[in-house]
Amino acid sequence: QVQLVESGGGLVQAGGSLRLSCAASRRTFTFYSMAWFRQAPGKEREFVAAISGSDSSTLYRDGVKGRFTISRDNGENTVYLQMNSLKPEDTAVYLCAAAIGRATIFAMNYNNWGQGTQVTVSS
């Protein structure tokens, strides 16, 4: 198991930027693929972005491509989500997830989850 702690959420105006961080507890961080999901009130949890541990290959949902960037610092056991050109529809709790193996877009493949950080984008 790996403990995950997210930070960096907040309130921002539309068009603004935020950078989320997720710190992982395990020294074997490089073995884990990392992902960000989000969940808005009354909606299903949805995939945002993921990055593999082996080669740092990335996956994005269509609605964030070109605006969000996922990256990782294996020396710091941390994954980041840089969010630019934020829109009100990006408002949600953003959750960090980890899993052994290659990154996927499916929440069921991730067995380690953080508590989440709130992102609110005002219009």
Side-chain angles (χ1 to χ4, degrees), residues 45-103:
R45 184 171 297 186
E46 63 182 24
F47 170 77
V48 177
I51 185 167
S52 290
S54 56
D55 59 6
S56 293
S57 57
T58 57
L59 299 168
Y60 294 94
R61 73 178 293 107
D62 286 343
V64 307
K65 286 179 180 178
R67 298 191 299 123
F68 291 9
T69 302
I70 189 170
S71 62
R72 63 191 296 156
D73 183 336
N74 290 334
E76 295 292 329
N77 287 3
T78 301
V79 64
Y80 303 98
L81 185 68
Q82 178 67 44
M83 304 187 295
N84 299 328
S85 302
L86 282 160
K87 304 175 182 179
E89 52 263 44
D90 294 318
T91 295
V93 174
Y94 282 70
L95 302 112
C96 178
I100 295 287
R102 292 198 64 80

Side-chain angles (χ1 to χ4, degrees), residues 14-56:
S17 298
L18 283 174
R19 188 194 197 200
L20 305 183
S21 299
C22 174
S25 63
R26 290 293 296 267
R27 293 182 180 273
T28 54
F29 180 69
T30 54
F31 295 154
Y32 287 83
S33 289
M34 304 295 296
W36 289 96
F37 288 78
R38 65 188 181 188
Q39 189 162 18
K43 293 189 176 181
E44 297 280 324
R45 184 171 297 186
E46 63 182 24
F47 170 77
V48 177
I51 185 167
S52 290
S54 56
D55 59 6
S56 293

Side-chain angles (χ1 to χ4, degrees), residues 111-123:
N111 56 352
N112 299 277
W113 291 86
Q115 294 298 308
T117 185
Q118 176 70 46
V119 171
T120 303
V121 184
S122 64
S123 56

